[in-house]
C-alpha cells in the first residue's frame, strides 16, 4: 500500500485529467463527487449517498459482475490499483461506455483513500467498433468479408467437437461474366449488382453464413450439410435464384452464377486448405460455362500445379525466344494463286511444338497476351516485308488480335511504330478479331477499330458463326471481311443446312461488298462446293498446313505444290 503524498495525488490526477475524479474516504465511507458527474450521467450524487451504490444501479447488467469483482478484489486484497471498462445507462436512457481506474492510498495512520478516475470512452468504443467492422465486413454489401470467414473456419478446425460432426461445406460462388458486366456498365451499377446478389442470398439462407470474398466472389459456410446430395441440391437451389434477367437501377442485365464446393475431410487440415479447394472447384465450374457447379476433386491440385508450371515456363519462353510463328497460305481458287498468309503462333516447349490451345487461355488471363501479341505483330510484319521484298507484292499478312490488345492504351502507337520500323505498308496487313469482341464492343474499342481502318489495315471477323452472330455489325462496323468457321465447312458432306447457311453467308457478304474466306478446307468435295457458291477464297490443309518461315518461302517459290495437293485430294476422293 502506498503512503499518500500530495505529489502522488497530483500525478495520478494529471495522468487522468480527461475524466472526473471521485474521492472515496474509505475510513469514513464518504465520497467527493464533482458536478461533472451529473453532466455525464444525468444523476446527482450527494456526499451522504454511497457513490458505488448509485453506480451499481446504472451499470448495464452484463457488465456489473466484472466491475464488482474488480472493486472487491481491490478493496479486500488491498490492491493498489484496478481498472475496468463497462457500460452505463444515463438518466436520459443513453448507453455510454466508461473507463474506471481506481488507486488506493494511505494518507495517515489507519486512514485510507481511494481515488477513482472515470472517463467517457463512448467515442473511442464507437471508433473501435467501426474499425472492427471495416476489418471484418465488406463495405459495399454489409456482409462479413474474407477475414471474417477465415476466423470462422479456423475456429471450426480448432474445435474438436465441431470437427467430429464432419458436416462443414464451403460454397464458393461468383457472378458469371462479371468482368464483361463491369466493362459495359458504370461503376455504381457494379456495386448495385453486388448488393442485389447479396440481398437475394440473405433472403434465402437459414443458418448459413454468407461472406463476400473478393470482387464478384461470395462464400457460404454451411455447418449442417456434410452430405454430397444435400450440397448438390443446395447448389442447384442457389443457381435457380439467378440465371435470368434482372432489373438493377433501371438497367436490365442477365445474372448467372458459378459455384465451387468443397467438404471437410481428413485431408483438409485448416481453413486455408478448404478455401483453396473451393476456389479450385469454382475455377473448374467457370470453364463449364454459366450456371454450373463443380465439386472439388483431388486431381484439381495436379491441374493447378500444371497450370502454375506452364505460367512460369511461359515467362521464361518470352526471355528465351521460344515462341515462333508459322504461316498458313490463303488461296484464291479462282485465280489459282496464294493471295494471303495467316500468322499462327507456336511455342517450342522443351523441343515439342505446342499449339495455342495449350497456352493461349493462360496468357489471356494473366495479362501476358499483350507482350506476346507484340512479338507476333512484329514478327508477322517483318515476314510480310520479307515476302514483299522477294517479289510477292500481292500477298498480305493476317494477324489475330485479342480483346486485351485492343483495350491497351498503347496498342495503336505500337502498330504505327512496327509499320514504320519494318517498312511494310498498312494495306498488306489484315487484323482478325473474334465475334466475341464485337459482342462486348465498347465505345473505346470501336474507336480503336476505326483508327486501325484509317491506317489502311483490313479488319476481318474470325470464326464467323460460332458465337452470337448478328448481322448488324456486318453493316455498321468498320470490317472488310469475314472468315467462315471451319465447323460449317466440315459438315458440308452430311448436312444440307450447313450448305444453305454457307450459301446465304456468301450471298449476303457479296451484297454488302465484303470479302469471305472459308477456313478449314480439307477435302476436294468441300472445295468444289465452296467454288460452286462463289466462295473462291479458302484456307486449309488441302492447300498447306501451317509452316515455318523457311518452309513458307520455299512454298511460295514452288506454289505449284499446292495445286498438286488439290489434285492428290481429288484422286483420293474419286
Amino acid at each position: 500500500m502506498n503512503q499518500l503524498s500530495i505529489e502522488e495525488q497530483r500525478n495520478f490526477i494529471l495522468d487522468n485529467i480527461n475524466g472526473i475524479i471521485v474521492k472515496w474516504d474509505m475510513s469514513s465511507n464518504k465520497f467527493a463527487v464533482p458536478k461533472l458527474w451529473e453532466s455525464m450521467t444525468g444523476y446527482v450524487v450527494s456526499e451522504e449517498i454511497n457513490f458505488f451504490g448509485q453506480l451499481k444501479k446504472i451499470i448495464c447488467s452484463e457488465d456489473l459482475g466484472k466491475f464488482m469483482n474488480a472493486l472487491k478484489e481491490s478493496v479486500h486484497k488491498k490492491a493498489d490499483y484496478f481498472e475496468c471498462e463497462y457500460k452505463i445507462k444515463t438518466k436520459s436512457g443513453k448507453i455510454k461506455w466508461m473507463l474506471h481506474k481506481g488507486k488506493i492510498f494511505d494518507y495517515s495512520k489507519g486512514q485510507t483513500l481511494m481515488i477513482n478516475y472515470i472517463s467517457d470512452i463512448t467515442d473511442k468504443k464507437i471508433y473501435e467498433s467501426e474499425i472492427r467492422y471495416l476489418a471484418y465486413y465488406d463495405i459495399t454489401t454489409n456482409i462479413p468479408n474474407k477475414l471474417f470467414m477465415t476466423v470462422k473456419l479456423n475456429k471450426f478446425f480448432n474445435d474438436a467437437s465441431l470437427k467430429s460432426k464432419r458436416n462443414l461445406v464451403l460454397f464458393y460462388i461468383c457472378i458469371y461474366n462479371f468482368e464483361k458486366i463491369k466493362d459495359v456498365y458504370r461503376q455504381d451499377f457494379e456495386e448495385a449488382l453486388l448488393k442485389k446478389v447479396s440481398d437475394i442470398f440473405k433472403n434465402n439462407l437459414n443458418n448459413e453464413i454468407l461472406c463476400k470474398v473478393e470482387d464478384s466472389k461470395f462464400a457460404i459456410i454451411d455447418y449442417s450439410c456434410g452430405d454430397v446430395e444435400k450440397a448438390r441440391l443446395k447448389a442447384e437451389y442457389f443457381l435457380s435464384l439467378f440465371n435470368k434477367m434482372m432489373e438493377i437501377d433501371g438497367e436490365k442485365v442477365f445474372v448467372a452464377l458459378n459455384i465451387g464446393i468443397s467438404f471437410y475431410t481428413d485431408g483438409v487440415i485448416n481453413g486455408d486448405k478448404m478455401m483453396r479447394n473451393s476456389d479450385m472447384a469454382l475455377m473448374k465450374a467457370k470453364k463449364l460455362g454459366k450456371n454450373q457447379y463443380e465439386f472439388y476433386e483431388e486431381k484439381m491440385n495436379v491441374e493447378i500445379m500444371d497450370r502454375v508450371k506452364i505460367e512460369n515456363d511461359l515467362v521464361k519462353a518470352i526471355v528465351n525466344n521460344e515462341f515462333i510463328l508459322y504461316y498458313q497460305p490463303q488461296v484464291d481458287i479462282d485465280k489459282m494463286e496464294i493471295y494471303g498468309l495467316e500468322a499462327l503462333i507456336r511455342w517450342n516447349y522443351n523441343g515439342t511444338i505446342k499449339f495455342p490451345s495449350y497456352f493461349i487461355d493462360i496468357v489471356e488471363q494473366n495479362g501476358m497476351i499483350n507482350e506476346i501479341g507484340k512479338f507476333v505483330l512484329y514478327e508477322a510484319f517483318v515476314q510480310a516485308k520479307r515476302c514483299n521484298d522477294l517479289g510477292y507484292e500481292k500477298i498480305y499478312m493476317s494477324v489475330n488480335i485479342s480483346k486485351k490488345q485492343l483495350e491497351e492504351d498503347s496498342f495503336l502507337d505500337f502498330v504505327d511504330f512496327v509499320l514504320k520500323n519494318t517498312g511494310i505498308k498498312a494495306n498488306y496487313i489484315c487484323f482478325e478479331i473474334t465475334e466475341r469482341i464485337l459482342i462486348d464492343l465498347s465505345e473505346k474499342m470501336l474507336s480503336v477499330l476505326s483508327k486501325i481502318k484509317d491506317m489502311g489495315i483490313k479488319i476481318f471477323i474470325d470464326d464467323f458463326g460460332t458465337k452470337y452472330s448478328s448481322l448488324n455489325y456486318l453493316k455498321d462496323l468498320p470490317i472488310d471481311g469475314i472468315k467462315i468457321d471451319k465447323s460449317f465447312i466440315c459438315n458440308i458432306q452430311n448436312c444440307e443446312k450447313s450448305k444453305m447457311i454457307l450459301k446465304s453467308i456468301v450471298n449476303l457478304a457479296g451484297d454488302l461488298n465484303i470479302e469471305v474466306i472459308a477456313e478449314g478446307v480439307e477435302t476436294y468435295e468441300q472445295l468444289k462446293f465452296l467454288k460452286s457458291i462463289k466462295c473462291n477464297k479458302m484456307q486449309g490443309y488441302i492447300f498447306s498446313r501451317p509452316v515455318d518461315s523457311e518452309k513458307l518461302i520455299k512454298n511460295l517459290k514452288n506454289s505449284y505444290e499446292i495445286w498438286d495437293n488439290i489434285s492428290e485430294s481429288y484422286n483420293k476422293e474419286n
Side-chain angles (χ1 to χ4, degrees):
M1 186 74 65
N2 293 333
Q3 182 68 33
L4 177 68
S5 71
I6 300 297
E7 182 68 19
E8 285 176 313
Q9 287 191 61
R10 186 181 71 83
N11 288 341
F12 184 75
I13 292 169
L14 288 176
D15 287 343
N16 301 288
I17 198 69
N18 292 323
I20 65 166
I21 302 297
V22 176
K23 292 184 179 181
W24 176 26
D25 187 332
M26 299 174 71
S27 304
S28 63
N29 198 30
K30 289 187 177 180
F31 295 84
V33 184
K35 289 185 177 180
L36 188 58
W37 177 253
E38 183 179 354
S39 301
M40 188 181 287
T41 66
Y43 293 102
V44 178
V45 179
S46 63
E47 239 182 58
E48 292 76 26
I49 297 177
N50 185 313
F51 174 77
F52 286 128
Q54 184 68 43
L55 182 60
K56 283 166 54 179
K57 294 178 182 179
I58 64 172
I59 292 178
C60 294
S61 58
E62 64 267 25
D63 294 335
L64 182 58
K66 68 177 179 181
F67 167 71
M68 292 305 297
N69 290 336
L71 178 63
K72 287 175 181 177
E73 186 172 343
S74 178
V75 172
H76 295 313
K77 294 185 178 180
K78 300 292 184 182
D80 285 351
Y81 178 82
F82 81 90
E83 182 175 322
C84 185
E85 291 182 359
Y86 52 79
K87 298 186 294 295
I88 66 167
K89 188 174 184 179
T90 67
K91 195 170 185 178
S92 65
K94 185 177 181 181
I95 301 297
K96 287 187 176 182
W97 272 97
M98 314 302 285
L99 170 65
H100 191 142
K101 300 178 182 179
K103 190 164 186 177
I104 298 175
F105 298 91
D106 285 333
Y107 68 95
S108 65
K109 284 187 178 181
Q111 292 184 310
T112 307
L113 179 73
M114 176 185 280
I115 296 178
N116 297 272
Y117 161 72
I118 306 173
S119 64
D120 183 346
I121 58 169
T122 304
D123 289 343
K124 176 175 176 286
K125 285 292 184 180
I126 291 173
Y127 176 73
E128 288 175 351
S129 177
E130 289 174 348
I131 293 297
R132 191 160 48 249
Y133 183 86
L134 291 173
Y136 288 101
Y137 282 79
D138 176 67
I139 298 174
T140 302
T141 58
N142 293 320
I143 62 174
N145 62 14
K146 186 176 183 179
L147 181 58
F148 182 96
M149 176 178 69
T150 303
V151 171
K152 282 290 185 183
L153 289 175
N154 287 339
K155 183 179 179 182
F156 171 89
F157 281 95
N158 292 326
D159 190 325
S161 64
L162 288 175
K163 288 171 65 178
S164 65
K165 295 178 182 177
R166 308 177 74 85
N167 286 331
L168 178 64
V169 176
L170 181 62
F171 298 87
Y172 257 31
I173 302 164
C174 74
I175 300 172
Y176 177 75
N177 269 348
F178 186 69
E179 291 301 318
K180 292 181 183 178
I181 293 172
K182 283 171 65 175
D183 289 343
V184 174
Y185 296 94
R186 60 190 188 279
Q187 184 176 352
D188 58 344
F189 179 85
E190 169 193 336
E191 294 177 356
L193 172 59
L194 292 172
K195 289 177 184 176
K196 179 77 170 180
V197 171
S198 172
D199 289 343
I200 291 172
F201 275 124
K202 284 190 287 188
N203 293 333
N204 288 277
L205 294 178
N206 295 316
N207 298 319
E208 303 93 337
I209 300 173
L210 175 68
C211 301
K212 173 77 159 39
V213 182
E214 58 191 25
D215 291 334
S216 70
K217 192 181 295 181
F218 294 82
I220 294 175
I221 304 173
D222 192 332
Y223 292 109
S224 59
C225 184
D227 179 83
V228 172
E229 190 56 32
K230 286 181 181 178
R232 186 189 306 279
L233 290 173
K234 280 205 172 183
E236 290 174 356
Y237 174 65
F238 294 152
L239 292 176
S240 72
L241 297 173
F242 300 89
N243 200 36
K244 57 189 174 185
M245 295 295 295
M246 292 186 177
E247 187 166 333
I248 301 171
D249 280 1
E251 301 272 10
K252 288 188 176 181
V253 62
F254 183 84
V255 182
L257 304 179
N258 288 114
I259 302 177
I261 311 163
S262 71
F263 297 87
Y264 165 63
T265 61
D266 290 335
V268 182
I269 58 175
N270 55 40
D272 285 341
K273 172 67 173 170
M274 195 156 192
M275 287 187 283
R276 286 198 301 273
N277 290 353
S278 293
D279 204 22
M280 281 188 274
L282 177 60
M283 289 172 61
K284 185 71 176 291
K286 288 167 70 174
K287 289 181 180 179
L288 298 176
K290 68 176 182 293
N291 208 43
Q292 300 293 322
Y293 64 90
E294 190 70 39
F295 290 98
Y296 168 77
E297 295 177 341
E298 195 62 38
K299 66 180 182 180
M300 292 179 184
N301 274 317
V302 177
E303 293 173 1
I304 293 296
M305 293 304 295
D306 287 344
R307 181 188 172 94
V308 170
K309 184 178 187 308
I310 293 172
E311 283 195 46
N312 292 335
D313 289 342
L314 282 167
V315 174
K316 298 175 188 175
I318 294 174
V319 177
N320 298 333
N321 297 316
E322 294 173 12
F323 290 110
I324 54 177
L325 291 191
Y326 275 42
Y327 304 90
Q328 187 171 34
Q330 295 169 332
V331 175
D332 188 327
I333 196 72
D334 200 33
K335 297 180 180 179
M336 297 285 284
E337 66 181 15
I338 298 172
Y339 72 91
L341 303 166
E342 181 179 3
L344 301 164
I345 191 169
R346 300 290 186 265
W347 180 16
N348 187 354
Y349 186 36
N350 297 327
T352 302
I353 300 300
K354 295 293 186 182
F355 286 73
S357 57
Y358 183 75
F359 60 86
I360 204 69
D361 285 345
I362 295 175
V363 298
E364 283 188 341
Q365 290 170 17
N366 68 13
M368 289 174 62
I369 189 66
N370 287 324
E371 190 171 357
I372 293 173
K374 288 178 180 178
F375 161 80
V376 173
L377 275 178
Y378 196 90
E379 288 296 311
F381 283 24
V382 167
Q383 185 62 53
K385 177 61 174 165
R386 184 184 178 198
C387 291
N388 192 289
D389 291 343
L390 287 172
Y392 306 107
E393 296 179 354
K394 293 182 180 180
I395 293 178
Y396 69 83
M397 181 70 70
S398 291
V399 183
N400 292 282
I401 304 296
S402 74
K403 179 184 176 184
K404 288 189 181 293
Q405 286 175 279
L406 293 174
E407 290 174 334
E408 190 179 32
D409 292 337
S410 62
F411 179 69
L412 290 174
D413 290 336
F414 183 77
V415 173
D416 186 58
F417 164 78
V418 178
L419 285 171
K420 291 174 180 176
N421 196 262
T422 59
I424 188 68
K425 293 180 181 179
N427 60 308
Y428 289 112
I429 302 297
C430 173
F431 285 169
E432 296 184 11
I433 59 175
T434 62
E435 275 189 315
R436 185 165 56 85
I437 291 177
L438 299 177
I439 300 303
D440 302 326
L441 197 63
S442 64
E443 289 295 327
K444 179 181 177 180
M445 282 197 289
L446 179 59
S447 173
V448 170
L449 291 177
S450 296
K451 289 175 181 176
I452 289 171
K453 180 84 169 172
D454 292 341
M455 286 181 176
I457 296 173
K458 289 185 176 183
I459 299 173
F460 270 61
I461 300 172
D462 194 16
D463 300 331
F464 182 81
T466 57
K467 297 294 179 184
Y468 312 97
S469 300
S470 171
L471 299 181
N472 286 332
Y473 55 64
L474 292 181
K475 67 180 182 65
D476 295 336
L477 297 180
I479 60 172
D480 297 278
I482 57 176
K483 295 184 73 175
I484 303 173
D485 186 68
K486 61 183 180 182
S487 61
F488 290 101
I489 311 301
C490 66
N491 288 328
I492 285 176
Q493 294 96 320
N494 306 312
C495 183
E496 287 300 318
K497 286 184 178 179
S498 289
K499 290 182 178 180
M500 291 171 63
I501 291 171
L502 284 170
K503 189 172 182 179
S504 297
I505 291 173
V506 172
N507 290 338
L508 177 62
D511 293 340
L512 294 172
N513 197 30
I514 60 176
E515 296 181 50
V516 182
I517 303 173
E519 290 186 279
V521 182
E522 297 183 0
T523 68
Y524 182 78
E525 185 179 345
Q526 293 167 356
L527 183 153
K528 183 180 177 182
F529 173 77
L530 290 167
K531 192 173 188 308
S532 72
I533 61 172
K534 295 183 170 52
C535 179
N536 297 317
K537 292 183 176 180
M538 308 177 198
Q539 178 180 342
Y541 286 178
I542 191 172
F543 306 111
S544 170
R545 291 178 177 271
V547 295
D548 61 23
S549 177
E550 185 177 339
K551 178 69 173 173
L552 170 68
I553 299 302
K554 180 182 176 183
N555 285 355
L556 291 175
K557 289 179 179 178
N558 304 297
S559 60
Y560 59 84
E561 290 183 2
I562 286 179
W563 317 118
D564 287 345
N565 288 342
I566 296 173
S567 297
E568 185 178 341
S569 176
Y570 172 78
N571 290 331
K572 284 182 179 178
E573 294 178 32
N574 293 276

